[in-house]
Amino acid sequence: MSRGPESYGMDTDRLVLIDPDMSRRAALTRVILDMGVHVEPFEHAMEFSERPIGAAIVLCADEGRALSTLANARAISLNAFSLIAYREKPDTRDVVNAMRMGADDYLEWPIMAQSLEYRLKSLAKVHEITAPLNHRIMDTKARIALLTDREREVMQKITHGLSAKETGRDLGISPRTVEIHRANVAVKMKAKNAAHLVRMFTEYDFDQQLRQHRHA
């Protein structure tokens, strides 16, 4: 019975398939369509990164630099998609490397329809829970990009618990200048209040540390 994309917590045009092998891509596309889920196929990861469509879940063949390209695309975009990698006869090193590149799951080709359906449902539920936080962090990242280097330095000190006086002493500026920078940051970040501003930077800092840990 066709389940439809809504049962996976996805809108249409939210599932992407990336595979340079045409026959494999066609076979997997048929499997996904038989589940009642719309799929957008791409030949290469670079093609998708240059023309992202807001996918909730991306299935990608683990070949060449595909996963690295997707990791970079996810890092610089506002699209916090979940990633499933796959290849024929993967070994432990393949799986570990993929996870370090940001893969959320790994499958062995050929992929059984029942297994794929289960993974899609599981990831869709996870995505539904984590999407608000991921989108919030991506939005924060876009706003942080608007800050000057000095404004970032000031906020790094403040979010680590330093006072305006201590921040000024560390950076060689006056406490008053620190407060001016913080006020400018609050406007650029569209913070509701001081607590909201600190929370945005704290969430962003935690996300950055997590990404660095995964790539270590």
Side-chain angles (χ1 to χ4, degrees):
M1 182 178 69
S2 175
R3 297 176 182 272
E6 291 77 14
S7 65
Y8 290 92
M10 291 178 275
D11 298 326
T12 58
D13 300 329
R14 296 294 301 280
L15 185 64
V16 163
L17 168 64
I18 302 172
D19 196 324
D21 186 296
M22 185 170 63
S23 61
R24 192 169 56 192
R25 188 170 66 247
L28 194 48
T29 295
R30 287 193 296 271
V31 170
I32 296 170
L33 290 175
D34 285 345
M35 297 177 188
V37 178
H38 187 80
V39 57
E40 286 283 340
F42 289 84
E43 184 176 358
H44 301 293
M46 185 61 70
E47 180 186 0
F48 167 69
S49 67
E50 292 174 347
R51 189 173 64 86
I53 61 170
I57 297 177
V58 174
L59 306 178
C60 182
D62 183 8
E63 294 187 4
R65 297 183 55 81
L67 299 187
S68 176
T69 298
L70 290 178
N72 291 333
R74 185 158 56 176
I76 64 176
S77 74
L78 300 181
N79 185 8
F81 55 81
S82 297
L83 174 62
I84 302 177
Y86 64 90
R87 74 180 305 161
E88 188 175 354
K89 298 179 180 179
D91 57 28
T92 302
R93 184 176 59 180
D94 294 325
V95 177
V96 171
N97 288 338
M99 295 302 176
R100 285 179 174 172
M101 288 292 179
D104 299 284
D105 208 339
Y106 206 107
L107 296 173
E108 180 176 1
W109 180 264
I111 299 173
M112 302 297 293
Q114 185 176 8
S115 177
L116 178 59
E117 184 174 20
Y118 173 78
R119 302 296 176 82
L120 290 180
K121 290 181 66 176
S122 298
L123 273 184
K125 290 179 181 178
V126 171
H127 186 85
E128 184 177 357
I129 295 172
T130 61
L133 175 59
N134 288 332
H135 290 156
R136 196 161 67 233
I137 290 174
M138 292 296 183
D139 184 58
T140 296
K141 182 177 181 179
R143 295 179 187 182
I144 288 177
L146 302 175
L147 305 181
T148 65
D149 291 341
R150 178 62 83 186
E151 288 169 342
R152 292 193 189 97
E153 289 175 339
V154 167
M155 289 310 303
Q156 185 179 36
K157 300 290 184 181
I158 292 175
T159 53
H160 282 77
L162 273 66
S163 66
K165 184 177 181 179
E166 292 168 330
T167 298
R169 184 170 60 244
D170 282 2
L171 298 178
I173 57 179
S174 69
R176 174 60 180 161
T177 301
V178 171
E179 292 296 346
I180 291 174
H181 282 308
R182 180 161 61 178
N184 289 338
V185 171
V187 172
K188 291 181 179 180
M189 298 293 294
K190 300 181 181 180
K192 299 176 183 178
N193 49 47
H196 182 212
L197 182 61
V198 171
R199 190 194 74 184
M200 285 193 289
F201 273 88
T202 300
E203 289 179 345
Y204 173 76
D205 187 54
F206 176 78
D207 180 70
Q208 292 299 105
Q209 292 181 32
L210 183 61
R211 290 176 184 272
Q212 292 175 5
H213 176 73
R214 293 183 72 170
H215 285 78

